[in-house]
Amino acid sequence: MSEFNEFDQQGSVPNRETGSIISHAFEMYKGVFGYGVVAMIVYLLGGYVIQLIFGVDSASMVEEMRSSGGKFNYWSMPGVPLYTGTSWLFGLLLSPLYVGLIYMVNKYNTKTPIEFSDLFIGYRQNFVNILIYSFLSGIISLIALALCVLPVIFVYPLLLIGYPILLFENASATDALKKSFNIAKENYGIFLLTAFLGMLISVAGVILCGIGIILTAPFMMIVMYSTYCAFLGKPRQIMYNKEI
């Protein structure tokens, strides 16, 4: 038990400022970089397999969009409706990996040894609520996106710390939404700028011929953790039963 307390006393917490949170996230990402890449490879490989199953050729789709003069109908492409629904379901089922990466970051921050199996803690702890939260936040984002791209940018900060709340507080999906919303609402300027910079860095990999997204996309999960630490304090290291 003394070892557990020792780990809890270690680790850093950023100030409630965007610069401090992003800097903290960079420091944390160094420790889990490889695991973040693994999570992204799993996600991209799954998406590629789904494309093959439904016969969707994303390269030719992009080419058609360029040559259509703005008259491209995405839903008329063969296999696209089924592919879109299956991809969404696949993304939903992989959302516990986000929680796993956040769990690993906290272990790195508290100087606790990290194991590969930690990446899958979201499938063992609070799994149903993680799925429900991912579903609800996805619906909220889709509604905002339907209104225009801009509302998504303003809505996303309200969801920023939902996953850490689900993990460290074992909260229900609705409680995680409410708590994330309330804290973000009270500190909206910081949350907005932090989420914007986090997303900007996460998609920066597209510049490197697209493949760089594997390296940068997981950064957003680390931003969520650092933001949680800044406003709710460094969480205690949680323990879980590795046997399913």
Side-chain angles (χ1 to χ4, degrees):
M1 196 67 174
S2 59
E3 184 181 7
F4 180 83
N5 291 332
E6 180 186 345
F7 286 142
D8 283 339
Q9 292 169 4
Q10 299 183 48
S12 59
V13 174
N15 297 324
R16 295 184 177 183
E17 303 169 354
T18 296
S20 179
I21 293 171
I22 295 296
S23 296
H24 184 266
F26 269 120
E27 287 301 313
M28 294 298 102
Y29 193 36
K30 294 176 185 177
V32 297
F33 175 77
Y35 299 106
V37 170
V38 169
M40 275 305 299
I41 289 174
V42 170
Y43 186 87
L44 293 176
L45 282 178
Y48 178 70
V49 170
I50 293 173
Q51 283 189 27
L52 291 179
I53 292 173
F54 292 100
V56 176
D57 188 343
S58 56
S60 63
M61 193 181 298
V62 170
E63 188 58 37
E64 248 188 85
M65 289 175 69
R66 288 175 178 171
S67 59
S68 66
K71 298 178 181 179
F72 177 78
N73 185 354
Y74 174 80
W75 297 105
S76 66
M77 295 291 290
V80 163
L82 276 174
Y83 163 72
T84 302
T86 307
S87 295
W88 181 81
L89 179 60
F90 177 73
L92 192 67
L93 292 174
L94 283 187
S95 59
L97 288 180
Y98 307 153
V99 173
L101 194 57
I102 292 170
Y103 176 63
M104 285 179 153
V105 175
N106 190 51
K107 291 189 78 171
Y108 175 73
N109 192 23
T110 55
K111 308 299 186 294
T112 309
I114 297 174
E115 299 177 14
F116 184 75
S117 61
D118 294 334
L119 188 60
F120 305 100
I121 187 177
Y123 294 99
R124 298 183 174 96
Q125 176 172 304
N126 217 8
F127 174 67
V128 174
N129 279 303
I130 291 171
L131 291 189
I132 295 173
Y133 177 85
S134 300
F135 176 80
L136 293 176
S137 59
I139 293 298
I140 293 170
S141 299
L142 280 175
I143 293 173
L145 189 61
L147 297 175
C148 185
V149 174
L150 197 58
V152 175
I153 298 173
F154 291 107
V155 167
Y156 189 74
L158 301 173
L159 308 171
L160 191 60
I161 59 173
Y163 282 121
I165 291 171
L166 286 167
L167 172 64
F168 299 119
E169 302 179 21
N170 205 34
S172 68
T174 52
D175 285 344
L177 275 173
K178 289 176 186 175
K179 188 166 185 176
S180 180
F181 178 87
N182 289 332
I183 295 174
K185 183 181 64 174
E186 296 297 322
N187 306 275
Y188 188 70
I190 297 173
F191 271 67
L192 177 62
L193 186 55
T194 300
F196 179 73
L197 289 177
M199 285 190 287
L200 210 60
I201 295 168
S202 294
V203 301
V206 174
I207 299 172
L208 302 174
C209 302
I211 194 67
I213 195 72
I214 295 175
L215 309 178
T216 58
F219 182 71
M220 196 65 218
M221 301 304 113
I222 319 304
V223 171
M224 292 178 181
Y225 171 76
S226 294
T227 306
Y228 179 93
C229 287
F231 287 90
L232 291 171
K234 180 176 63 64
R236 288 174 60 89
Q237 188 55 260
I238 58 177
M239 308 297 289
Y240 72 98
N241 187 355
K242 296 181 182 180
E243 297 181 4
I244 300 177

